[in-house]
Amino acid sequence: MAADIGGPEALQLLMWAVLLPCLMILGAGIGQWVLWIGVVIMLVAVAVAACLIGGAWGRAGAATLASVSGFALMLFAGPAMYEVYMKTAGDPVAAVVTEVTDENNRWGAGVT
């Protein structure tokens, strides 16, 4: 049976439900440019989500799912946000590769 939540409690739950995923997406996006800041934002958002959901609300399974989803979001949403940014705001330029040398690679471009 579902609990009847209304008024300020519902508003507070809605605030956390919107704020935490937005922070996770922000951390994933920032992590593409400044890795350490993005990782810190992401870890704080995942820790707050896990503590809030698992500790305060008593939903251990949902806290585990939120934590795993947060880390997966960092892996997949960051590169996708970077690609969308480059398609919308990036300037395509023509480039010609004139020489490729790689002395350390055994079977790379330097091998004939």
Side-chain angles (χ1 to χ4, degrees):
M1 188 157 203
D4 186 23
I5 299 174
E9 294 171 352
L11 187 61
Q12 184 181 14
L13 289 173
L14 182 63
M15 180 206 56
W16 283 113
V18 171
L19 182 67
L20 288 173
C22 287
L23 280 176
M24 290 180 187
I25 291 171
L26 178 71
I30 290 175
Q32 294 300 306
W33 288 279
V34 184
L35 181 66
W36 292 107
I37 295 173
V39 169
V40 168
I41 292 172
M42 191 66 187
L43 287 176
V44 166
V46 168
V48 168
C51 291
L52 184 67
I53 298 169
W57 297 343
R59 306 284 187 203
T64 304
L65 182 64
S67 299
V68 171
S69 299
F71 287 119
L73 185 69
M74 183 72 174
L75 291 174
F76 298 114
M81 287 178 65
Y82 181 76
E83 187 173 332
V84 167
Y85 170 76
M86 290 307 292
K87 284 183 180 179
T88 57
D91 295 326
V93 294
V96 177
V97 178
T98 59
E99 183 180 349
V100 176
T101 58
D102 189 4
E103 300 296 327
N104 297 327
N105 195 352
R106 194 166 165 187
W107 295 286
V111 176
T112 58

